[in-house]
């Protein structure tokens, strides 16, 4: 009786080891390719990788992520809840009278300058002014606006900042 039980157990072990030790390199069920996927191949002439969110800043003369270093300006229709468009960003010169405007779906930024503190930044058909919030106008028509500044805090920000 023990021999009858041992015989099926031995057969099971032999067949299970055959499945484990089988050479699967010639198996047609899977496809192996030697192609390597290279990320970050979309560099511009300055070496900025756009797929990683970097853009060339003329103002800072380096690749930056405008959504990390700039001020967000939302389209007016987006502020009213009518649409979900992309935002524009503005990067300001430290202690200077220049700013750089990054518009959605436009590869080249727009340089803005102001005559003195308190006056609007202007460049081409664009003007940027600050009166409780940033307002970006194109040919005098309001296109983008930033968060309102209330009591030293930007609306939607949990950290109070002094202005």
């Amino acid at each position: 009786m023990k021999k009858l039980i041992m015989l099926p157990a031995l057969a099971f072990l032999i067949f299970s080891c055959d499945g484990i030790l089988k050479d699967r390199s010639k198996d047609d069920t899977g496809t192996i390719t030697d192609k390597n996927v290279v990320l970050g191949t979309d560099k511009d002439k300055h070496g900025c990788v756009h797929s990683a969110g970097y853009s060339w800043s003329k103002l800072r003369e380096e690749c930056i992520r405008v959504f990390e270093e700039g001020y967000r300006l939302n389209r007016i229709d987006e502020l009213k809840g009518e649409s979900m468009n992309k935002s524009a960003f503005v990067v300001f010169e430290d202690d200077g009278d220049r700013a750089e405007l990054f518009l959605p779906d436009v590869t080249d930024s727009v340089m803005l300058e102001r005559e003195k503190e308190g006056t609007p930044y202007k460049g081409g058909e664009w003007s940027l002014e600050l009166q409780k919030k940033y307002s970006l106008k194109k040919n005098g028509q309001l296109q983008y606006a930033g968060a309102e500044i209330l009591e030293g805090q930007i609306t939607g920000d949990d950290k109070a900042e002094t202005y």
Side-chain angles (χ1 to χ4, degrees):
M1 184 68 148
K2 286 185 178 182
K3 289 183 182 180
L4 287 176
I5 294 175
M6 293 294 277
L7 188 60
L10 184 63
F12 174 76
L13 287 173
I14 290 173
F15 286 114
S16 65
C17 288
D18 181 49
I20 293 171
L21 300 175
K22 187 176 183 179
D23 181 21
R24 298 186 190 280
S25 63
K26 297 179 183 177
D27 196 2
D28 290 337
T29 59
T31 304
I32 300 172
T33 62
D34 290 332
K35 294 182 180 178
N36 292 330
V37 177
V38 180
L39 300 175
T41 57
D42 59 335
K43 292 181 180 180
D44 65 8
K45 63 183 178 183
H46 301 286
C48 303
V49 181
H50 291 281
S51 62
Y54 288 94
S55 298
W56 178 254
S57 171
K58 298 174 197 172
L59 189 64
R60 300 212 176 146
E61 297 182 347
E62 65 180 343
C63 296
I64 64 168
R65 291 174 134 179
V66 295
F67 53 87
E68 290 178 348
E69 298 191 31
Y71 292 93
R72 180 185 299 267
L73 301 170
N74 296 320
R75 288 194 54 88
I76 297 303
D77 55 355
E78 185 176 311
L79 293 173
K80 295 177 185 174
E82 297 174 8
S83 166
M84 290 302 289
N85 292 313
K86 296 178 182 176
S87 299
F89 292 88
V90 179
V91 176
F92 294 95
E93 182 177 48
D94 296 333
D95 301 324
D97 293 322
R98 296 186 311 155
E100 187 171 9
L101 175 62
F102 294 88
L103 296 164
D105 301 324
V106 177
T107 55
D108 224 10
S109 62
V110 178
M111 292 302 297
L112 306 171
E113 291 188 43
R114 65 181 179 183
E115 293 177 16
K116 61 181 180 176
E117 191 171 341
T119 61
Y121 291 89
K122 294 182 181 182
E125 56 195 3
W126 295 98
S127 66
L128 177 71
E129 50 190 67
L130 174 63
Q131 295 171 352
K132 279 202 170 185
K133 63 180 178 179
Y134 286 108
S135 299
L136 181 62
K137 297 177 182 179
K138 181 178 182 181
N139 295 324
Q141 296 290 323
L142 184 62
Q143 300 290 315
Y144 293 86
E148 289 190 25
I149 299 173
L150 300 173
E151 298 177 20
Q153 182 174 353
I154 298 176
T155 305
D157 190 4
D158 59 353
K159 300 183 292 186
E161 296 184 19
T162 305
Y163 294 97

